[in-house]
Every structure is written in structure tokens, then in C-alpha cells.
Amino acid sequence: MDNATYVALSRQLVLRRELDVTANNLANMNTSGYKFEQLLVETEPGKPAYNLPIRAPANFAFDKGIGRDFSQGSFIQTGSDYDLAIEGEGAFFVVNGPSGPLYTRDGAFTVNSEGVLTTQEGLPVQGDGGEIRLNAEFGAPSISADGIVSQRSADGTVRVGKINVVRFANLSDVEKRGDNMFAATSNATPDPAGDVRIRQGMLEASNVNALTEVTRLVEINRSYASISKVIDQNQELNRNAIERLGRVA
């Protein structure tokens, strides 16, 4: 294959990756706390398929990684005592994962049979003293804007704990895990996010713009089809050239 075909194929590979990312955004447009993702693409100089008569390197399309938009999503009122939303960008709830702490913006919590506040997957939500354990004999929990969890008993209001909300100095220090969770990379340590507010009875919606993503899907498909046409035309030119050389010989 010649230079044009190699460059076109590199762009097609990137477009296929972009298609996966865009489709994933659309699939999670109704996932609480989900953050929009975008493929980071740049050109990468490389050796051409042959050096003569072309001296300049060929510029291939290169998948640099995935970037995420951690901007605030809108709030959806649910009325559930266990649904929580963070008002403030770049902050996360802390949950106890199988291999250490995990971080999430998805505040659709519940209570297990032991009264522990957990995620929908059963991971305990972390408070200032460890797990947050509610008393089934008391009333529904009340969660203040600064994360203090309390219940009303016959003797008055009882403080149960305080929900941990943290922030990383650099959001590139978190990497995506399954179930809408993030984990810290290397030795990054988060700090308490004291400037955010917790809203009880609400969830943060995804910040995906459905119209933009559908439009992007159309653009990706059109670009892929156009590049396929260019590759076919280039191959046809090569076949014609070989046929003519054969007749001359």
C-alpha cells in the first residue's frame, strides 16, 4: 500500500474509536452523574511507505486518549431520602471498593439489610468515621448541605455521620472504572471539598448533549464513508497504473 492508503486507514481506525465513544455517551445520557467523553485526536508524523520521491514524513491520525468534561450536570428532583447530588464541579462521593476507595458523582444510594448506606451495587458510602449506618427504628435520614447525616429518635435528633466529599487537585489523576466509578491514579490523594453543597432528594443528570452526539454520529459515518471512497479510488488508480505498465512492458 502507498502513503495515501496508510494515512486514510489510520484515520478510519480513529473514526471507529470515536464512534464507540460517541455511542457510549448516548447510551449513558440518562445515567446519573455521567460525564461526557471525547476522543483526543492529533497527527503523528511517521515514515512514509517509501522515501522517494517523497521526502516529508506522512502525518497519520493518532488516538491520544479520552478527555472528560467534568462540568456540572442539571439536577433532577426525585424526593428519595437516599438520593444525593453534589453542587460543585470536580468533587466526588467516596465509596469503599473491593480494592480501595472509589469515587463517583452518582448519588443514587440505598440502604442494605444492615442499615448501611450503599451504592446500587452494594458498595458502602464513606463518611468521616467510616461506613454510615442508619438505625431502622428511627425516622428517615436528614442530610444537610454540608453532608451531616442525622435521624430523629424519641430523644431528639441523632447525628449518624458526615458524608465524605473530596476533590482532586488535578482531574487527570482519576481514571474511569466500571459502574460509573473512578479510581485515583498513581499516588494521587484527594482533599476534602468543603466548598460544595449536597442536595438531598435530587440526582445530578448526565452532562451529555444528546443532539450534539447524534449529530456527531452522522458526521463520523459520513467521514468514514468518504475515506472508504478515497481508498477505493486510490486502489483503482494503482490497478490502472499496473495494467498500463504491463502493456508497455
Side-chain angles (χ1 to χ4, degrees):
M1 290 186 289
D2 58 19
N3 299 322
T5 302
Y6 276 122
V7 171
L9 286 174
S10 72
R11 180 57 180 151
Q12 279 193 325
L13 290 173
V14 169
L15 285 171
R16 291 182 64 178
R17 180 74 173 119
E18 283 188 281
L19 182 64
D20 291 339
V21 173
T22 304
N24 187 60
N25 284 335
L26 285 172
N28 286 281
M29 60 180 293
N30 294 320
T31 300
S32 300
Y34 178 82
K35 298 305 175 186
F36 164 78
E37 297 179 344
Q38 185 175 17
L39 194 68
L40 304 178
V41 182
E42 63 181 22
T43 58
E44 181 182 33
K47 291 183 178 180
Y50 49 84
N51 293 323
L52 294 175
I54 300 176
R55 298 285 185 179
N59 289 322
F60 298 93
F62 175 63
D63 171 5
K64 190 178 180 181
I66 293 178
R68 293 181 182 88
D69 178 5
F70 284 96
S71 61
Q72 180 82 58
S74 60
F75 293 115
I76 301 173
Q77 187 166 3
T78 66
S80 172
D81 295 321
Y82 306 113
D83 284 345
L84 305 176
I86 299 175
E87 183 179 356
E89 295 183 6
F92 301 90
F93 296 111
V94 185
V95 300
N96 186 18
S99 303
L102 296 173
Y103 309 92
T104 184
R105 295 281 297 194
D106 185 357
F109 299 139
T110 186
V111 175
N112 65 17
S113 59
E114 298 176 351
V116 177
L117 187 67
T118 70
T119 66
Q120 296 295 324
E121 292 73 29
L123 301 178
V125 178
Q126 293 300 293
D128 55 357
E131 297 176 354
I132 297 175
R133 192 177 298 270
L134 302 173
N135 192 327
E137 297 180 359
F138 295 165
S142 175
I143 303 174
S144 64
D146 57 356
I148 295 177
V149 183
S150 57
Q151 287 182 286
R152 187 174 296 278
S153 68
D155 299 325
T157 301
V158 178
R159 184 186 187 278
V160 178
K162 182 177 181 181
I163 294 176
N164 280 350
V165 180
V166 300
R167 175 182 283 120
F168 288 85
N170 190 342
L171 287 173
S172 63
D173 288 334
V174 295
E175 61 183 4
K176 188 176 180 180
R177 296 290 174 87
D179 298 322
N180 209 12
M181 298 284 176
F182 294 90
T185 61
S186 62
N187 295 320
T189 303
D191 298 314
D195 59 334
V196 303
R197 295 170 59 87
I198 293 179
R199 293 194 176 189
Q200 185 178 18
M202 293 187 176
L203 291 174
E204 181 187 4
S206 163
N207 64 356
V208 173
N209 186 315
L211 182 59
T212 300
E213 294 305 282
V214 170
T215 302
R216 182 61 187 146
L217 277 180
V218 175
E219 292 175 348
I220 291 172
N221 283 308
R222 287 178 176 174
S223 296
Y224 195 93
S226 297
I227 295 174
S228 296
K229 187 176 181 180
V230 169
I231 293 175
D232 291 341
Q233 291 174 341
N234 191 59
Q235 294 300 315
E236 182 64 25
L237 288 173
N238 288 339
R239 283 193 293 268
N240 292 337
I242 293 172
E243 291 175 359
R244 291 178 181 178
L245 286 173
R247 287 195 297 267
V248 171

